[in-house]
Each structure stands twice: as structure tokens, then as C-alpha cells.
């Protein structure tokens, strides 16, 4: 009986250890808004009797006849663009496009979770993956510029890692002294370059 209990404790410890390690990475990379829209059964928007609702609250002034539900919490009608039921005041409805991972743009601006990204250029703005995006001048993560990152040659790897010509990043944080030329992602948060091994972006 003691052996069975000991075995169960060891198994639970192993599982908890893996879960804890994974949560270090996934926990701060997941976004409540993203999960809310991508794991929601149906849309939080609802149209009935010439009225538009968001999570049970009427959106006053929304045009039910032209209302279009988009992705990532966005929607639009003839006159306005909405995020989570609220109007994005600077957005232009007829040119508005959802890009993914919470990013969107119109002819004038780029947005992240409904908020304008100051200085981002919509003409050449593109979303990569894992909340990374680029335009002609900057690299973005979570809608914020990554200081010092260069879009030319920027590449998202996996498990939160990315690199440009000069640096390696983990969830947009530069990994000090990591070599982009030799950097390789392994598995379960591990990575290496010529000189070091890393675990979720931390040199070990």
C-alpha cells in the first residue's frame, strides 16, 4: 500500500512540475481577451429585433441591418467599428480589417485589442504569430514596440522564442548574450546556442 501511495505522489509531483514549468511560459503569453473570443461557444455579440447586444447589454445606436460580427471581439456596421461592444472612435468602418491575435487595421491606423498603436504603419503592417507583428520600422509584441528589434530578418521561432539579425528574444524580452546565428529551439521551453542552454528564455 505504501508503495502505491509513494508511486502516486511521485506521479503527481511530476505532473505538477511539468504544469508549473509550462505555466511559466503559457501563463503570461495567453491573453484573457484572446481566449475569451476563441474558446467562446458562439459570439458575445447578438442581433435580434433590430437591436444589437454585447454580452446582454444593448449597443445603443448600432445598426442591426448592417452589423457584421468579425473576429477577436471586433465588429462593425456602416458607421462604426466596435471592440467588445464599445466604439473605436478613430476607426474607419469600410476599410477595417481584422488581422489576428487581437491586431486589426484600417486605412489610417493599426489597433491592438481595440486600442490604436501609435506610430504603426497600416500599409505594411503584418502579423506573424504568437502576438508578434512587424511594420517597415518596428517589431511589436502584445501591441507594444520591442525596443531595439529590427523587422528586417525578424523571425518567430516557437515556444515564445524569436530572433532578428542581432538578438534573440523570449516573449519580446531580449536574451542577454544569446547568439542568433546559432540559436536553436529544442522542446519544452529549452533552447541552446553555441555557448549556452536556455529554459524559457533564462540561461541555465
Amino acid at each position: 500500500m505504501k508503495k502505491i501511495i509513494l508511486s502516486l505522489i511521485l506521479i503527481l509531483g511530476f505532473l505538477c512540475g511539468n504544469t508549473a514549468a509550462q505555466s511559466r511560459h503559457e501563463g503570461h503569453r495567453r491573453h484573457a481577451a484572446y481566449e475569451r473570443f476563441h474558446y467562446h461557444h458562439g459570439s458575445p455579440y447578438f442581433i435580434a429585433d433590430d437591436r444589437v447586444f454585447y454580452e446582454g447589454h444593448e449597443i445603443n445606436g448600432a445598426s442591426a441591418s448592417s452589423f457584421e460580427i468579425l473576429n477577436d471581439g471586433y465588429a462593425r456596421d456602416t458607421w462604426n467599428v466596435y471592440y467588445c461592444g464599445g466604439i473605436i472612435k478613430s476607426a474607419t468602418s469600410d476599410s477595417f480589417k481584422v488581422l489576428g491575435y487581437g491586431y486589426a487595421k484600417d486605412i489610417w491606423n493599426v489597433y491592438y485589442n481595440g486600442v490604436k498603436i501609435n506610430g504603426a504603419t497600416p500599409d505594411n503592417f503584418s502579423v506573424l504569430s504568437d502576438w508578434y507583428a512587424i511594420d517597415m520600422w518596428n517589431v511589436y509584441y502584445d501591441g507594444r514596440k520591442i525596443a531595439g528589434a529590427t523587422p528586417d530578418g525578424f523571425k518567430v521561432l516557437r515556444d515564445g522564442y524569436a530572433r532578428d539579425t542581432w538578438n534573440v528574444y523570449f516573449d519580446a524580452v531580449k536574451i542577454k548574450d544569446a547568439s542568433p546565428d546559432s540559436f536553436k529551439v529544442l522542446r519544452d521551453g529549452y533552447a541552446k546556442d553555441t555557448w549556452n542552454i536556455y529554459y524559457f528564455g533564462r540561461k541555465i
Side-chain angles (χ1 to χ4, degrees):
M1 185 66 178
K2 288 182 179 179
K3 289 184 177 179
I4 294 173
I5 293 172
L6 181 60
S7 297
L8 289 172
I9 291 171
L10 289 172
I11 291 169
L12 286 172
F14 175 77
L15 291 174
C16 289
N18 278 353
T19 301
Q22 186 67 11
S23 68
R24 290 181 56 198
H25 174 51
E26 293 294 343
H28 68 107
R29 288 183 64 238
R30 285 180 177 174
H31 302 273
Y34 185 84
E35 289 191 335
R36 183 181 190 181
F37 302 123
H38 286 265
Y39 297 96
H40 195 286
H41 293 290
S43 171
Y45 290 100
F46 185 73
I47 304 168
D49 298 330
D50 293 326
R51 300 163 70 190
V52 181
F53 301 86
Y54 181 84
E55 292 191 336
H57 300 282
E58 185 172 1
I59 304 175
N60 292 324
S63 168
S65 61
S66 64
F67 199 86
E68 180 183 0
I69 299 169
L70 306 173
N71 295 322
D72 294 359
Y74 293 102
R76 66 181 174 186
D77 60 19
T78 303
W79 311 109
N80 295 301
V81 179
Y82 305 85
Y83 179 75
C84 292
I87 293 175
I88 305 174
K89 292 183 179 180
S90 59
T92 303
S93 177
D94 59 357
S95 64
F96 192 84
K97 181 180 180 181
V98 177
L99 305 175
Y101 288 98
Y103 292 98
K105 69 179 182 179
D106 61 17
I107 194 171
W108 305 111
N109 298 299
V110 180
Y111 306 87
Y112 179 72
N113 288 350
V115 178
K116 184 173 74 172
I117 303 175
N118 291 325
T121 54
D123 286 347
N124 45 46
F125 191 93
S126 62
V127 175
L128 303 177
S129 61
D130 291 350
W131 292 273
Y132 286 101
I134 59 173
D135 63 14
M136 183 176 290
W137 309 108
N138 296 293
V139 181
Y140 304 84
Y141 179 83
D142 255 2
R144 294 184 292 271
K145 294 177 185 177
I146 304 175
T150 56
D152 185 29
F154 190 89
K155 183 179 180 181
V156 179
L157 303 175
R158 66 175 191 276
D159 295 344
Y161 291 103
R163 70 184 181 203
D164 61 16
T165 305
W166 309 108
N167 297 297
V168 181
Y169 306 86
F170 178 75
D171 285 0
V173 178
K174 184 169 71 174
I175 303 174
K176 185 178 180 181
D177 299 327
S179 168
D181 291 335
S182 63
F183 195 86
K184 182 178 180 182
V185 179
L186 303 174
R187 61 180 180 84
D188 299 330
Y190 287 94
K192 70 175 184 178
D193 60 16
T194 302
W195 312 108
N196 298 295
I197 296 175
Y198 306 88
Y199 182 62
F200 290 117
R202 177 177 59 88
K203 185 169 68 175
I204 56 176

